Structure formats: structure tokens, C-alpha cells
Amino acid sequence: YEDDDLLGADKPAGLAVHPGVGHWADTLGGRLLAYYDSRQIPADFHPVHRLDKGTSGAMVVAKHAYAQDKLRRRLHTPAFSRAYLAVCDGAPPREQGCINLPIARAADSMIRQEIRADGAPACTEYQVLRQCAGRTLLRLHLTTGRTHQIRVHMAALGCPLTGDFLYGTENQALISRPALHAHMLSFLHPITGRTMLFALPLPEDMAALLTGGKP
């Protein structure tokens, strides 16, 4: 989706949103700037939220600072809702629930997060959709937006995301990334005020985990 104020992007797994160590050349921001330039679109890269490099799925990107500011102010409110699909190892203790555990950066790491009493409040709502091949497909909704929130909370529940090298067990033979997908975005358009809904289906590499096969 694209209009004069924003763009809806389907970010592939393995693509970083911003330049950083190990991924300076090819990023979502770089691709969008090249796209704007090739079509002489007067826009800049103004991300409203971010996804980890390994996470696939729906993002909304503002084309100008005013739209970005309005959308960012609505993050974690009913006016901006995000839902994820994830495949975890094992199964949660209940069919649905809310993981309400504070998260902070681990003292011995620049990347890894951990559950800690003095961390920032974090709440992840989950619902079991399907169980198969020793794994569970979940739909998750975020009411806060901490770094690695879903990954940390599912590991704390004893059900790390399949393929999560940082909080679970890496298994390149099954999947080359943590099995997490930004499935749905719902928000109010920053200029027109109308309700926008972006949704993307479960990607093939995650679907294969539920059948025991490979994508």
C-alpha cells in the first residue's frame, strides 16, 4: 500500500530496518530511499516502528516527519494495534494468557534482554492457534514494545521461539531465524483519520515447522 503520506511494507526475514554493524549496505531504509529516488517521489525514510532483522512481516513507514510523529504518538494505544504470529517449541501451559514480566538489557550483553525486577513493564497477550509436530502456532498481541519482547517472554514461559539462537536453540536445518512474523497492523491514518488494516499470511518457512517439513 502507498499514498502521499505513508507506505505499507512487507519486510522479508533477514533484512535489517536500519543500517548497523554487519548490515550497512542492504536495509529496508536503503531500499525505500532507492525506490523513492527512482520514481522521483519527494519522500524520506521515516519508520514508525521497527522489526528485528530476523522478523518478517507488516510495517508502516511514514513519508514525512509529520505523519511519523502522529503515528508514533499512537503506538501502544487502541489507535495502533499490532498482532504477531509465532511458532514456539513445546506448548504454553494455557490456551491463552498474558505474560506480564518486566524486561531489561542483560548486564553482560549489548543485545540480549532478560526478565528482571527493575526492568521496564512489558505485557504480551497470546492465544494458541494450533499444535503440531511438538510445536505451537501462536497469535500474540503487544500492549508494550520492549526490545525482543515476544522472544524474551516466550522463553520465560519455557517455550522459546523455534530457531531463536539468542533465547532458545538455533537450528539452521529447520529455520534460519526466530520464527516470528508481524501478521497484522491496524491504525488510524495520520492525515485522513480513516482506519487502515494491513495483514500478511504465515510465511512458508514458519508453516513448514508445523508439519515437520522444510519450506
Side-chain angles (χ1 to χ4, degrees):
Y1 176 84
E2 184 178 8
D3 62 29
D4 291 340
D5 306 296
L6 57 85
L7 180 145
D10 178 3
K11 189 189 87 65
L15 181 70
V17 174
H18 302 281
V21 177
H23 45 80
W24 292 106
D26 188 20
T27 64
L28 179 65
R31 291 187 185 187
L32 287 180
L33 289 174
Y35 165 73
Y36 296 150
D37 184 62
S38 68
R39 289 160 177 77
Q40 297 185 322
I41 297 172
D44 205 347
F45 180 58
H46 294 278
V48 176
H49 56 114
R50 64 181 294 275
L51 296 176
D52 292 341
K53 181 180 177 181
T55 303
S56 58
M59 289 187 65
V60 58
V61 178
K63 288 185 169 182
H64 50 80
Y66 178 72
Q68 180 192 43
D69 182 65
K70 289 197 73 172
L71 287 169
R72 278 188 167 176
R73 290 175 183 271
R74 295 170 182 165
L75 286 172
H76 317 304
T77 74
F80 197 108
S81 178
R82 290 179 286 174
Y84 291 77
L85 295 174
V87 177
C88 70
D89 294 334
R94 297 191 299 274
E95 291 292 307
Q96 59 183 22
C98 179
I99 309 168
N100 198 343
L101 295 169
I103 294 175
R105 183 170 62 84
D108 60 349
S109 175
M110 292 296 293
I111 300 173
R112 190 169 57 85
Q113 308 293 307
E114 64 183 6
I115 304 298
R116 212 167 64 211
D118 63 345
C123 180
T124 304
E125 298 172 352
Y126 72 87
Q127 178 185 6
V128 171
L129 299 180
R130 181 159 48 121
Q131 294 180 337
C132 188
R135 300 185 181 90
T136 303
L137 175 64
L138 303 163
R139 189 176 192 271
L140 306 110
H141 175 257
L142 296 181
T143 57
T144 55
R146 310 305 173 198
T147 300
H148 297 173
Q149 180 174 318
I150 289 174
R151 297 166 65 186
V152 174
H153 274 175
M154 291 309 302
L157 205 62
C159 305
L161 301 190
T162 303
D164 194 337
F165 62 93
L166 199 56
Y167 303 104
T169 302
E170 183 176 17
N171 192 332
Q172 292 281 338
L174 289 175
I175 190 169
S176 62
R177 61 174 178 120
L180 183 61
H181 177 67
H183 164 60
M184 185 276 293
L185 284 175
S186 177
F187 57 93
L188 299 180
H189 193 285
I191 307 302
T192 67
R194 60 195 174 99
T195 299
M196 309 293 292
L197 177 65
F198 299 159
L200 293 167
L202 188 71
E204 291 183 3
D205 63 343
M206 288 177 57
L209 295 173
L210 301 167
T211 62
K214 296 181 180 180

